[in-house]
Amino acid sequence: MNAPSTILVTGGAGFIGSHACVELLDHGYELIVVDNYSNSSPRAFTRVERLAGRFVGALYELDIRDRPALAAVFDRHSVDAVMHFAGDKSVSRSMRSPEEYYDNNVGGTTSLLRTMHDHGVHQLVYASSCAVYGESGPVPVGESTPAQPTNPYAASKWICEQLLSDVCRRRPEYTVLCLRYSNPAGAHPSGLLGEDVRGVPDNLMPYVAQVAIGRRERLRVFGADYPTHDGTAVRDYVHVMDTVEAHRLALDHLADAPGMHVYNLGLGEGRSVLDVVAAFSTASDKHIPYEVAPRRPGDVAEVVADASAMTRVWGWRPTRHLDDMCRDAWEFQRLNPHGYARTARRTKG
Ligand code: WQD
């Protein structure tokens, strides 16, 4: 199997997707990007192409559940492999709208899978989540820990993993590398690319950043009665740049062995909500006001990833820590108080 060179990136305008595009362009890949801009903006590509110093091959606004539209992209381009980021990722919203999450995340993945198969494309890097473990297992949690998702977002990821695994068992031509993220955070160190959230951020780091810049009055800390060192929930925050480097490495390993292979992707350092508040305050030199609120439905007390398998097999080693994430996220927020909203038009015609 030849090394892939043309990658179709779903959700390529999103937070992790856009940073992955820079990483892949920097390493010579040709990119075909599809995104429905439900939680992103095409303006991200002005930044992506500026950082990479070269254009994305093609950019399509479409919902991957629109199979005819997706098939037309595969008809037009010779895709070697797919990097699949597209999907909704808010735990709290998934609790309010489970049907929407199963439709978007599972329906989108099955539509993509069918279209890939129809076009003879059988190499996939899939963005899953450590959220599939739920409350189960040790800290840090390893890949062999049984999945026990506690919310529809996590369940949608787990369902996709199961259907991908079953297809790989039945069809030897497939290779699926499934990366279970902990909590990607931070931004590109240039300050040009970051987490440009539509509406009120659900995730902790972008919300804290908006408090620091003065767009939000204070942070609500969802729960201070968890069995953790300070009572607030613990997560394993991993720099988005380390995250996308792992994705680029995955492309180098698609030819290692067919079938589905699952890897945790995290830093392995558990940090509480108040740890993040303190680190962000230091990075931004801003006071971060907060109030304690009730626990958020669907949340778990602690998730920390054991990513030693990916290090052992691929040689991936994260090099950035929470202070780097806060520094870079603050630089992006400081330079882009309203995200990409006010930026020059795309340079490409
Ligand atoms: C982290 C902690 C909140 C906001 C994320 C992504 C998901 C997946 C897993 C990648 C929790 C608390 C948050 C706020 C708060 N990652 N919090 N006040 O829920 O772990 O899920 O990581 O695929 O896509 O969503 O991340 O940042 O929402 O929450 O107290 O205003 O911060 O309760 O304990 P979560 P999060």
Side-chain angles (χ1 to χ4, degrees):
M1 184 188 308
N2 297 325
S5 60
T6 299
I7 311 299
L8 184 137
V9 181
T10 75
F15 171 43
I16 303 168
S18 58
H19 287 78
C21 286
V22 174
E23 178 73 10
L24 298 185
L25 287 171
D26 281 349
H27 285 78
Y29 289 96
E30 284 302 312
L31 301 188
I32 311 300
V33 177
V34 298
D35 200 305
N36 67 359
Y37 305 132
S38 60
N39 189 28
S40 59
S41 163
R43 295 190 181 100
F45 291 101
T46 306
R47 312 295 184 86
V48 166
E49 292 170 339
R50 182 172 157 192
L51 285 167
R54 54 187 283 244
F55 286 123
V56 167
L59 183 55
Y60 297 94
E61 180 177 1
L62 65 83
D63 187 314
I64 59 174
R65 292 171 295 174
D66 180 348
R67 276 182 56 214
L70 186 60
V73 176
F74 278 82
D75 288 337
R76 197 170 303 141
H77 302 278
S78 176
V79 174
D80 296 313
V82 176
M83 198 166 278
H84 179 27
F85 296 103
D88 293 332
K89 66 161 192 170
S90 165
V91 169
S92 54
R93 292 185 196 202
S94 80
M95 296 291 283
R96 298 192 295 270
S97 311
E99 301 82 359
E100 175 190 351
Y101 266 67
Y102 291 122
D103 185 9
N104 286 343
N105 292 0
V106 180
T109 299
T110 53
S111 172
L112 172 66
L113 192 60
R114 289 195 70 179
T115 309
M116 285 173 63
H117 181 66
D118 292 348
H119 291 80
V121 179
H122 295 102
Q123 296 190 312
L124 174 67
V125 178
Y126 174 60
S128 187
S129 171
C130 285
V132 304
Y133 298 113
E135 295 276 17
S136 69
V139 173
V141 64
E143 291 87 350
S144 61
T145 300
Q148 288 183 2
T150 62
N151 56 71
Y153 159 75
S156 72
K157 290 294 183 180
W158 175 233
I159 291 166
C160 288
E161 285 195 25
Q162 290 176 285
L163 66 88
L164 289 168
S165 177
D166 186 66
V167 168
C168 286
R169 276 195 296 275
R170 300 171 190 279
R171 293 192 189 282
E173 62 268 34
Y174 276 100
T175 300
V176 174
L177 298 179
C178 172
L179 308 188
R180 289 178 178 165
Y181 303 162
S182 53
N183 289 53
H188 190 279
S190 65
L192 285 173
L193 206 61
E195 192 160 7
D196 174 32
V197 180
R198 290 206 167 188
V200 179
D202 286 295
N203 293 135
L204 179 63
M205 185 85 64
Y207 199 103
V208 170
Q210 289 192 7
V211 172
I213 199 78
R215 282 183 61 185
R216 308 282 169 197
E217 188 180 339
R218 66 171 55 87
L219 172 73
R220 287 180 301 155
V221 175
F222 297 134
D225 59 349
Y226 285 106
T228 63
H229 64 272
D230 62 12
T232 65
V234 169
R235 295 290 184 272
D236 175 351
Y237 298 93
V238 59
H239 201 294
V240 65
M241 297 308 291
D242 284 323
T243 301
V244 297
E245 285 168 14
H247 282 75
R248 194 244 313 149
L249 273 177
L251 294 178
D252 296 340
H253 291 276
L254 280 166
D256 290 359
M260 177 142 149
H261 309 277
V262 178
Y263 293 98
N264 286 342
L265 197 175
L267 183 59
E269 294 176 4
R271 295 304 183 97
S272 72
V273 174
L274 293 183
D275 289 338
V276 172
V277 170
F280 209 98
S281 183
T282 300
S284 61
D285 195 24
K286 300 286 186 181
H287 173 56
I288 309 289
Y290 67 85
E291 65 185 15
V292 176
R295 292 184 179 188
R296 186 172 66 174
D299 276 351
V300 298
E302 188 163 5
V303 180
V304 177
D306 172 356
S308 57
M310 188 188 286
T311 300
R312 184 174 65 253
V313 178
W314 294 355
W316 178 76
R317 285 175 178 76
T319 59
R320 303 156 180 99
H321 298 267
L322 183 61
D323 55 348
D324 301 307
M325 294 174 228
C326 293
R327 178 198 64 227
D328 294 339
W330 171 240
E331 184 66 0
F332 174 74
Q333 188 70 77
R334 184 180 68 82
L335 295 175
N336 306 272
H338 297 280
Y340 303 130
R342 302 193 185 116
T343 181
R345 290 178 59 78
R346 273 187 57 135
T347 52
K348 192 175 176 184

